[in-house]
Amino acid sequence: EEGRADVDVLKPLVQQADQVQPWQYIIIPVCGLLAVFSVPSMSYGLFKNSLLTVLDLSGEESQDIVSFGLVGGMVLGFVPGLVYDRFGYAMTLAAGGAMAVAGASSWYLQLKDGGAPGSPGYMTLALSQMLMCHGCRWQYFAGMCAVLSTFPRRLASSLSATMAILLSLGYILLPLLWSTAFLPTEPDAFNARTKTLKNLKPVAGFYSSLAAIYSCVTVLGLCIAHWLPKKETQAESSVNLAGILQKVKDPDAVALFIFVKCSLAVVYTYMTSGVAATSMHAGATSSDTASVIFRMGLIGMAGRFLMGFGADFMRSKTHARQGGTYLMYLVASLSTLSGFALLIPSPDISFDKWKLACYLIGFGFGGYFALFPASVRTIFGAEQLGFWLGVLFCMIGSLNFFIGHIAAKLEWNSNFFMASCCSGTVCSGVFIFMV
């Protein structure tokens, strides 16, 4: 009886919404692994130019491959959001892992013989990329939503920044994996004129390693499923038209939508396709491009750390409150805007100027993804987190599809980057107003 009384006394403390339990800290690194490898489209620039030459693709066909990946990973992003809200973590993770492994394995099977003009066709690669990226998005949603929904709301910014930093490890580890394990060092493995690979067997090996990674992180992620709230204990999602209209009228929601349309979608397009395309303008080799992408990952990690934890500090420790978050958004926006301004002379751009532009855009992009999920959690709440993250990712992917094709038609020249600067200026103006 005495022991039972002690348990009853302690029970309310365990149930308090703001009380963090030890097991909750265990899920962070596991869910972080789901985020680390969830952006394979960011690795496309490592070998995009080699695909162009070996398979004899046009610029638009090459863009289609990454665009299909973003259709799967972004445009259809609302699907895992709805599934997570309805069925929970385990279902979302298991289905995503199966799709990611299948898509990566398909790339390996198609490229294991080295490739040749027209074989494999770009459409089969594009469909495989779409399947893999869609599965990765399910894994990302499982990890991100589990962390943001399990911990108290007051920790949303810090947790979002932590997950964003872990996500940025993918931008570092995947280029490092490519350059150390698969990119040949022998000069005769490259075309002397184009500086690209003569065959795509290294690319096939890279995707086989991705398939193995996705298998492992899925199994590991499922091991913590019993610690997370089951679907029957989760709050029911009350997504309805009236609720949606009420949400989108909120000034913070309006600012978030403008940010996605005017800046995040453009920056995401450059990160997935523009780095490789503009590297050719700058005369960079495959090794140079891999090195720059690797460093962009490091710089992006710094951006995620500074913006995410900076916003949390300013909101909780100063009088800036929510204005501190928008100040961090403004810093990130000005960084990407500066990078696009440096790229305006394209295609007549030096290697050093291109490299600096990439680093500035990478820093701002890192800041964006430290702040973006936390903003969604704060504005729309935990109950509908999956739904609204899915809607916004759908917007990013849809815009990316069109922006990417426009950029490919313009061959990533000065007209595209001047337009990018204009849209970025609008976004910065909104952040200044919200501060």
Side-chain angles (χ1 to χ4, degrees):
E1 283 294 322
E2 183 178 347
R4 183 174 179 180
D6 290 340
V7 172
D8 290 338
V9 169
L10 293 175
K11 189 175 180 181
L13 295 177
V14 175
Q15 291 181 330
Q16 287 180 356
D18 279 355
Q19 185 73 18
V20 179
Q21 303 299 313
W23 64 264
Q24 290 176 300
Y25 292 108
I26 298 173
I27 74 169
I28 294 177
V30 177
C31 291
L33 281 175
L34 300 178
V36 166
F37 301 105
S38 68
V39 284
S41 57
M42 291 296 179
S43 303
Y44 184 68
L46 296 169
F47 39 77
K48 175 183 177 181
N49 296 335
S50 295
L51 287 171
L52 275 167
T53 55
V54 174
L55 303 182
D56 194 25
L57 303 178
S58 67
E60 292 184 22
E61 288 172 338
S62 175
Q63 179 61 39
D64 278 341
I65 295 176
V66 72
S67 293
F68 269 68
L70 292 168
V71 167
M74 292 291 195
V75 178
L76 298 177
F78 67 93
V79 178
L82 293 174
V83 171
Y84 184 89
D85 287 343
R86 179 66 181 86
F87 297 104
Y89 170 84
M91 177 71 75
T92 308
L93 175 57
M99 287 185 281
V101 171
S105 298
S106 178
W107 265 76
Y108 165 73
L109 293 173
Q110 292 179 77
L111 298 178
K112 65 179 182 177
D113 294 327
S119 177
Y122 82 94
M123 185 54 69
T124 57
L125 289 175
L127 292 172
S128 299
Q129 185 83 347
M130 182 171 70
L131 179 63
M132 179 180 65
C133 291
H134 190 53
C136 289
R137 185 56 58 191
W138 285 59
Q139 291 185 312
Y140 171 85
F141 265 81
M144 181 64 79
C145 291
V147 168
L148 291 179
S149 299
T150 303
F151 283 83
R153 177 178 175 176
R154 62 184 172 82
L155 299 176
S157 290
S158 294
L159 290 168
S160 179
T162 300
M163 290 294 286
I165 290 169
L166 291 170
L167 175 65
S168 68
L169 284 176
Y171 303 154
I172 298 169
L173 295 177
L174 291 180
L176 189 62
L177 176 66
W178 164 254
S179 59
T180 57
F182 299 104
L183 185 64
T185 56
E186 304 83 6
D188 58 359
F190 297 89
N191 185 306
R193 182 179 60 84
T194 61
K195 302 177 183 178
T196 57
L197 292 169
K198 289 182 178 179
N199 69 71
L200 299 175
K201 289 182 180 180
V203 181
F206 179 73
Y207 275 93
S208 69
S209 69
L210 287 184
I213 289 170
Y214 295 141
S215 298
C216 293
V217 298
T218 300
V219 172
L220 181 61
L222 290 174
C223 291
I224 65 165
H226 66 283
W227 280 332
L228 301 173
K230 305 298 186 292
K231 69 168 186 173
E232 61 268 19
T233 63
Q234 291 174 337
E236 287 294 325
S237 177
S238 56
V239 179
N240 55 61
L241 182 59
I244 290 174
L245 292 176
Q246 185 64 34
K247 291 285 189 182
V248 298
K249 289 179 182 178
D250 185 85
D252 290 309
V254 172
L256 185 64
F257 282 110
I258 292 174
F259 155 66
V260 168
K261 292 179 181 178
C262 293
S263 188
L264 183 56
V266 180
V267 175
Y268 206 98
T269 303
Y270 183 78
M271 293 291 291
T272 54
S273 304
V275 174
T278 52
S279 71
M280 300 183 75
H281 299 332
T285 64
S286 296
S287 179
D288 291 333
T289 304
S291 176
V292 168
I293 292 175
F294 171 77
R295 289 172 182 162
M296 287 174 73
L298 291 174
I299 293 170
M301 179 183 289
R304 291 164 197 261
F305 181 87
L306 293 173
M307 305 300 171
F309 288 102
D312 190 46
F313 175 82
M314 295 184 72
R315 185 173 60 254
S316 61
K317 304 295 185 182
T318 71
H319 295 294
R321 302 304 180 191
Q322 192 63 17
T325 299
Y326 286 111
L327 181 60
M328 294 296 98
Y329 268 119
L330 178 61
V331 172
S333 178
L334 292 175
S335 181
T336 60
L337 187 59
S338 300
F340 285 136
L342 287 174
L343 292 169
I344 287 177
S346 293
D348 299 321
I349 185 169
S350 68
F351 176 78
D352 289 336
K353 186 177 287 187
W354 167 75
K355 186 167 61 172
L356 177 59
C358 287
Y359 294 159
L360 287 168
I361 294 170
F363 180 78
F365 179 77
Y368 279 170
F369 268 88
L371 300 167
F372 171 60
S375 293
V376 178
R377 167 68 172 81
T378 301
I379 295 169
F380 299 112
E383 293 79 10
Q384 298 178 9
L385 177 63
F387 172 78
W388 284 106
L389 267 179
V391 167
L392 291 166
F393 275 122
C394 179
M395 288 176 57
I396 296 169
S398 300
L399 290 166
N400 184 285
F401 188 87
F402 293 107
I403 294 170
H405 276 77
I406 292 170
K409 284 183 179 292
L410 295 174
E411 297 182 344
W412 298 89
N413 65 13
S414 59
N415 292 329
F416 173 78
F417 290 112
M418 284 191 287
S420 299
C421 286
C422 290
S423 64
T425 301
V426 171
C427 186
S428 296
V430 170
F431 292 146
I432 291 172
F433 177 78
M434 294 300 292
V435 169

